[in-house]
Amino acid sequence: MTAPLFLGSEIYRGSSYGDWHPLRVPRVSTAMDLSRALGWLPDQQYVNSPRAKPKALHVWHEPDYVAALQRAEATQEISEEDCKRFQLGTVSNPIYPEVYRRPATAAGASLLSGELLRDGGVIYHPGGGTHHGMPGYANGFCYLNDPVLAILSLKRNGARRVAYIDIDAHHADGVEHGFADDPDTLLISVHEEGRWPRTGALTDRGVGQVFNLPVPRGLNDTEMAMVRDRLIVPLVSDFAPDAIVLQCGADAVEEDPLSKLTLSNNAHWAVVSALKALSAPRFLVLGGGGYNPWSVGRLWTGVWGVLNGHHVPDVLPVEAQEVLLALRWDGARRGKNRPEHWVTTLRDAPREGSVRTALRDRVDWLLSDQTTQALRVG
Ligand SMILES: [Zn+2]
């Protein structure tokens, strides 16, 4: 198998949703810079993401909405009517300078992934993972839904059965909207209970292939390991997918301001590692949420390390520390009192704990015979 590819773009560097928006922080550019500083990103593994043409987006997105998004970028304004209809120019989904180009670039990389993986392989696309996007409107910081476009592209390019796993702190509502009725797309979403968008109930099962696991506040590494080993790995393995897509949002870690989950980045890396070990013909890892510039940059760089089998050094070399030292988190208290290890290390200290009964019961219910019946490969 050929070496994993990193689909990046310079469009993410310096792009901000606005001074007060959680997505004012750099993320993908940090993963690119840190990976290069560690010697992990040679030119031959880097692919510049193409921008999707509007027509290519119409496979899932409504043409009127795509046109409105382009109009919003060109004019940097939005009419009251378009704001209402398309949820553009709101607090969550503001109009910013690259409001069409940036999501269209993430979408372009997701569409390209399906083509590049036609004959198998591993792709990392940390600018992807915008799992809340809807066909005809923006939703939850997501203007387009690149995971849906990736799955459709994988299917157009020879993957019949696709397993989509989402470990972002928020429910993958847009992706479920896209594939809830498709028995050939396994959907597993692990997300914080009671948090926006408040969808993804345990009992929402699609046509039997949807597995939603709402998890309680304070989710620890030990609990995530249980979810990984008892739920995620067996379900994906039994499904025997032609492609695995992992949305690896970084907002379920302790330092993230948008969730109350308390994982360390070890939990995410272990999920990446376990899914990689299943050796599905195609493996695509996307980004997602993640709003603390240090924790998201370190976590996503580590994901690339895991995909390549690199050893994570205990102390980062000076060039890598300089990347982290240069980050700013304006308007956030924690940005001013940043702990030393956010700059000197990639790996967090593990955050282990006890496995709560309520969580175990939910996993048991999802694994009960009646629940998994529809999933059995005929
Ligand atoms: Zn999220």
Side-chain angles (χ1 to χ4, degrees):
M1 192 163 283
T2 51
L5 295 176
F6 187 123
L7 270 54
S9 170
E10 286 297 323
I11 197 162
Y12 304 108
R13 192 183 302 278
S15 166
S16 166
Y17 278 37
D19 288 350
W20 301 104
H21 197 284
L23 282 177
R24 67 188 177 279
V25 301
R27 305 171 344 129
V28 178
S29 53
T30 311
M32 285 162 52
D33 295 348
L34 265 183
S35 295
R36 289 197 176 111
L38 285 159
W40 290 358
L41 190 51
D43 289 348
Q44 61 271 24
Q45 281 184 269
Y46 182 80
V47 176
N48 189 38
S49 305
R51 189 190 310 166
K53 298 230 163 37
K55 213 171 169 183
L57 302 170
H58 298 168
V59 292
W60 199 67
H61 288 286
E62 290 165 19
D64 281 358
Y65 169 56
V66 175
L69 197 53
Q70 287 184 284
R71 219 161 41 234
E73 176 167 294
T75 64
Q76 292 296 299
E77 284 175 356
I78 195 85
S79 68
E80 211 171 298
E81 190 197 333
D82 280 3
C83 170
K84 238 179 166 163
R85 182 171 166 208
F86 302 119
Q87 291 298 304
L88 288 173
T90 64
V91 174
S92 286
N93 318 311
I95 308 297
Y96 64 97
E98 308 85 21
V99 69
Y100 171 74
R101 277 171 294 160
R102 176 171 158 175
T105 301
S110 278
L111 289 164
L112 178 64
S113 295
E115 295 171 30
L116 293 176
L117 290 171
R118 192 193 307 259
D119 299 319
V122 176
I123 287 181
Y124 186 37
H125 168 22
T130 54
H131 58 173
H132 299 306
M134 289 295 179
Y137 62 97
N139 190 35
F141 316 167
C142 303
Y143 299 84
L144 300 169
N145 196 312
D146 76 88
V148 166
L149 296 169
I151 294 168
L152 291 174
S153 178
L154 284 161
K155 292 191 176 218
R156 266 201 311 277
N157 287 284
R160 194 172 71 82
R161 294 164 69 80
V162 177
Y164 173 82
I165 303 94
D166 190 309
I167 57 171
D168 189 281
H170 303 89
H171 175 238
D173 54 348
V175 184
E176 186 171 323
H177 178 82
F179 297 102
D181 299 329
D182 178 4
D184 287 328
T185 307
L186 171 70
L187 298 179
I188 305 173
S189 178
V190 179
H191 45 267
E192 185 180 342
E193 66 185 341
R195 184 160 295 283
W196 187 93
R198 299 183 187 279
T199 48
L202 186 73
T203 49
D204 290 348
R205 303 291 335 287
V207 288
Q209 93 300 10
V210 172
F211 292 80
N212 281 308
L213 180 65
V215 295
R217 285 174 168 209
L219 184 77
N220 62 52
D221 288 358
T222 317
E223 290 176 318
M224 192 61 188
M226 183 274 286
V227 171
R228 180 193 72 218
D229 293 341
R230 290 194 56 219
L231 188 75
I232 297 175
V233 169
L235 285 177
V236 175
S237 177
D238 282 359
F239 190 70
D242 304 305
I244 295 176
V245 179
L246 170 66
Q247 198 270 20
C248 196
D251 49 6
V253 294
E254 206 270 333
E255 301 89 344
D256 195 274
L258 261 62
S259 88
K260 291 273 192 276
L261 305 181
T262 53
L263 298 177
S264 78
N265 56 22
N266 295 280
H268 294 72
W269 298 348
V271 170
V272 174
S273 181
L275 290 174
K276 182 176 167 237
L278 292 178
S279 302
R282 303 164 184 83
F283 188 24
L284 171 62
V285 180
L286 305 171
Y291 307 96
N292 172 326
W294 287 280
S295 60
V296 65
R298 292 162 65 245
L299 192 157
W300 284 356
T301 303
V303 167
W304 179 240
V306 170
L307 290 175
N308 286 279
H310 291 309
H311 169 74
V312 175
D314 289 339
V315 178
L316 288 170
V318 175
E319 302 78 18
Q321 292 198 21
E322 278 168 359
V323 173
L324 291 164
L325 211 50
L327 294 177
R328 284 169 43 185
W329 195 10
D330 294 334
R333 186 179 44 81
R334 283 205 269 190
K336 294 194 182 73
N337 306 307
R338 127 185 98 57
E340 192 63 19
H341 75 269
W342 287 6
V343 165
T344 56
T345 70
L346 216 54
R347 186 187 296 280
D348 294 330
R351 300 194 182 109
E352 281 156 8
S354 53
V355 176
R356 283 164 284 181
T357 312
L359 180 62
R360 203 183 286 282
D361 288 349
R362 286 175 207 173
V363 171
D364 283 342
W365 185 81
L366 284 174
L367 290 171
S368 61
D369 278 353
Q370 204 187 343
T371 320
T372 53
Q373 213 166 34
L375 197 68
R376 298 279 169 242
V377 183

